């Protein structure tokens, strides 16, 4: 009969994953480091390394059940809010651990069904959140959309992935402005932030 797993090992692994997910949800991928996860989980850093020798492995597992905190809870005026979101996303994609996970999701998805599922779930969630923000901009009178909203992730996020994976280099603020312009025509004077506007909630996806 196979040996039962040590309950202490199981508990420490679950605590580490829970801590990684919390940090991912609160601050994004760059927060998921061995040091910060160990502190949040109240375990030794060596314990985290024992379960996940490489940071990208831990980040990949944490991402399995946590939607990325990008394009969540949009606020008016939407354009400057989106500009900040794209800036954060571009900076995160430039980090080695995040780049390693992104590469795994893109390359590994061809042969590993589990990674394919994670990639598709991530793409669906981020796409829904971005489209919800653009819908809010239209409702607020800030934006006259230029194309089908289904194309928005490809037009606005796709170039950031290209710069991260194929042409590594800094993402300028000018590039981010051009990505925003791809969404359509923005009004010259953005409306004052209005708490009456409520962002549409993207539909939930089954894991």
């Amino acid at each position: 009969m196979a040996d039962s797993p040590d309950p202490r090992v199981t508990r420490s692994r679950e605590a580490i994953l829970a801590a990684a997910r919390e940090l991912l949800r609160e601050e994004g991928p760059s927060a998921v480091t061995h040091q910060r996860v160990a502190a949040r989980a109240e375990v030794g850093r060596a314990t985290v390394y024992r379960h996940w020798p490489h940071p990208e492995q831990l980040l990949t597992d944490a991402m399995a059940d946590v939607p990325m905190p990008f394009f969540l809870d949009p606020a008016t005026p939407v354009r400057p809010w989106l500009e900040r979101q794209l800036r954060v996303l571009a900076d995160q994609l430039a980090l080695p651990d995040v780049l390693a996970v992104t590469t795994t999701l893109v390359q590994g998805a061809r042969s590993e069904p589990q990674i394919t599922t994670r990639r598709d779930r991530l793409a669906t969630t981020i796409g829904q959140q971005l489209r919800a923000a653009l819908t809010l901009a239209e409702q607020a009178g800030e934006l006259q959309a230029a194309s089908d909203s289904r194309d928005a992730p490809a037009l606005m996020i796709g170039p950031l992935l290209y710069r991260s994976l194929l042409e590594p280099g800094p993402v300028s603020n000018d590039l981010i402005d051009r990505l925003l312009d791809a969404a359509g025509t923005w009004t010259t004077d953005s409306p004052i932030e209005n708490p009456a506007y409520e962002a549409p909630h993207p539909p939930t996806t089954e894991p």
Side-chain angles (χ1 to χ4, degrees):
M1 189 171 86
D3 293 335
S4 299
D6 187 333
R8 293 172 300 179
V9 173
T10 301
R11 282 196 300 271
S12 67
R13 183 179 176 87
E14 290 175 350
I16 292 166
L17 263 180
R21 288 167 182 153
E22 288 175 3
L23 288 166
L24 179 60
R25 188 180 296 110
E26 293 169 7
E27 302 181 39
S30 62
V32 183
T33 66
H34 284 92
Q35 181 176 359
R36 294 201 59 190
V37 169
R40 176 69 67 96
E42 298 183 342
V43 301
R45 198 187 310 181
T47 301
V48 182
Y49 275 105
R50 186 162 59 249
H51 290 292
W52 289 274
H54 303 289
E56 64 268 19
Q57 296 170 339
L58 176 57
L59 181 55
T60 299
D61 285 347
M63 286 172 60
D65 299 308
V66 177
M68 292 293 95
F70 301 119
F71 310 111
L72 279 173
D73 303 322
T76 55
V78 177
R79 179 167 178 133
W81 179 88
L82 267 178
E83 183 177 2
R84 293 191 296 271
Q85 292 289 306
L86 289 169
R87 177 78 270 161
V88 170
L89 178 58
D91 292 345
Q92 295 268 316
L93 285 170
L95 299 173
D97 292 342
V98 179
L99 178 58
V101 172
T102 304
T103 302
T104 297
L105 290 172
V106 172
Q107 295 181 343
R110 298 178 181 177
S111 57
E112 300 181 49
Q114 184 179 27
I115 293 180
T116 299
T117 299
R118 293 180 184 180
R119 180 206 61 190
D120 292 347
R121 184 186 304 157
L122 175 63
T124 298
T125 301
I126 289 182
Q128 289 172 343
Q129 291 166 186
L130 174 59
R131 284 189 287 270
L134 294 174
T135 297
L136 175 61
E138 289 187 84
Q139 292 174 347
E142 282 187 69
L143 174 67
Q144 182 178 353
S147 61
D148 191 323
S149 65
R150 289 174 296 183
D151 296 331
L155 291 170
M156 301 178 71
I157 300 175
L160 299 181
L161 289 172
Y162 179 90
R163 178 58 53 85
S164 172
L165 295 171
L166 300 178
E167 191 183 68
V171 174
S172 67
N173 291 333
D174 180 64
L175 175 56
I176 289 178
D177 280 338
R178 282 182 280 157
L179 299 182
L180 288 165
D181 289 340
T185 302
W186 296 85
T187 59
T188 303
D189 298 318
S190 296
I192 297 173
E193 187 167 346
N194 185 348
Y197 288 122
E198 182 176 350
H201 297 288
T204 56
T205 56
E206 294 296 327

